[in-house]
Amino acid sequence: MAEVTYYTEEGLAKLKEELQYLKTEGRLKIANAIAEARDKGDLSENAEYDAAKEAQGLHEAKIAKLEEVMASARLIDESKLDLSKVLALSIVRIKNRKNGAEMTYQLVSETEADLKAGKISVKSPIAQGLLGKSVGDIAKVTVPAGEIEFEVLEISR
């Protein structure tokens, strides 16, 4: 059984939208590519046809994977989350104790993670170190470059 993954309303909507696109327009494009390749003659020596069929297989695998993710996806009611400690979907402002740099991250599911948007996966080393911490706590996070200490400055939703 697939692992349960928690999503924001926005993240779940994006997943549904992508799945819908793949099932409709995506399948139509692949079917058209197969039909076009088939029209070119002998299928036993038709590289375009083979490539289109392979693309179809990969496309269907992607659909199956997204359906599996959707089946195990759960929407988190953010209004009921505890603001006293860092949890999934928390927005956390932290300070690097070594260089004084402040950062703000939202802890989201792996598929929603986008560092440019300030969203990090709950499975990332930084998020793992922050989970369960309260304002004022120090999180020691082991990263490839060594150990970094972060102070939790603020937790919000």
Side-chain angles (χ1 to χ4, degrees), residues 2 9-10 18 28 32 78 85 96 123 141:
E9 200 169 325
E10 173 191 350
E18 182 180 3
L28 183 61
N32 289 340
E78 295 181 55
K85 57 187 167 191
N96 183 325
K123 294 187 177 182
V141 178

Side-chain angles (χ1 to χ4, degrees), residues 56-82:
Q56 180 185 36
L58 294 172
H59 187 82
E60 291 302 319
K62 188 172 183 179
I63 288 173
K65 178 70 177 157
L66 266 176
E67 285 177 334
E68 185 180 311
V69 168
M70 290 291 296
S72 64
R74 301 292 178 266
L75 183 63
I76 293 182
D77 183 357
E78 295 181 55
S79 65
K80 294 182 180 177
L81 293 178
D82 182 6

Side-chain angles (χ1 to χ4, degrees), residues 6-149:
Y6 296 96
Y7 287 89
T8 61
E9 200 169 325
E10 173 191 350
L12 200 54
K14 280 183 182 178
L15 270 181
K16 287 178 182 177
E17 188 178 299
E18 182 180 3
L19 184 58
Q20 183 63 27
Y21 172 81
L22 290 174
K23 284 182 165 183
T24 56
E25 291 179 48
R27 279 183 173 156
L28 183 61
K29 286 179 183 177
I30 298 265
N32 289 340
I34 290 172
E36 190 176 305
R38 189 181 302 127
D39 290 343
K40 293 187 178 174
D42 185 10
L43 296 182
S44 65
E45 295 180 12
N46 189 334
E48 263 187 72
Y49 179 78
D50 291 340
K53 288 298 280 182
E54 186 175 332
Q56 180 185 36
L58 294 172
H59 187 82
E60 291 302 319
K62 188 172 183 179
I63 288 173
K65 178 70 177 157
L66 266 176
E67 285 177 334
E68 185 180 311
V69 168
M70 290 291 296
S72 64
R74 301 292 178 266
L75 183 63
I76 293 182
D77 183 357
E78 295 181 55
S79 65
K80 294 182 180 177
L81 293 178
D82 182 6
L83 288 174
S84 67
K85 57 187 167 191
V86 179
L87 303 168
L89 300 186
S90 293
I91 298 172
V92 186
R93 190 165 59 93
I94 57 176
K95 179 179 177 180
N96 183 325
R97 294 199 42 182
K98 185 175 183 179
N99 64 16
E102 288 188 18
M103 297 150 280
T104 301
Y105 295 119
Q106 181 175 22
L107 280 56
V108 296
S109 68
E110 284 184 297
T111 55
E112 287 184 85
D114 180 3
L115 192 56
K116 289 180 184 173
K119 295 180 177 186
I120 61 172
S121 167
V122 291
K123 294 187 177 182
S124 70
I126 292 175
Q128 288 292 304
L130 292 172
L131 287 172
K133 300 290 187 223
S134 300
V135 173
D137 286 354
I138 304 300
K140 292 183 181 180
V141 178
T142 303
V143 295
E147 190 173 86
I148 302 174
E149 288 187 353

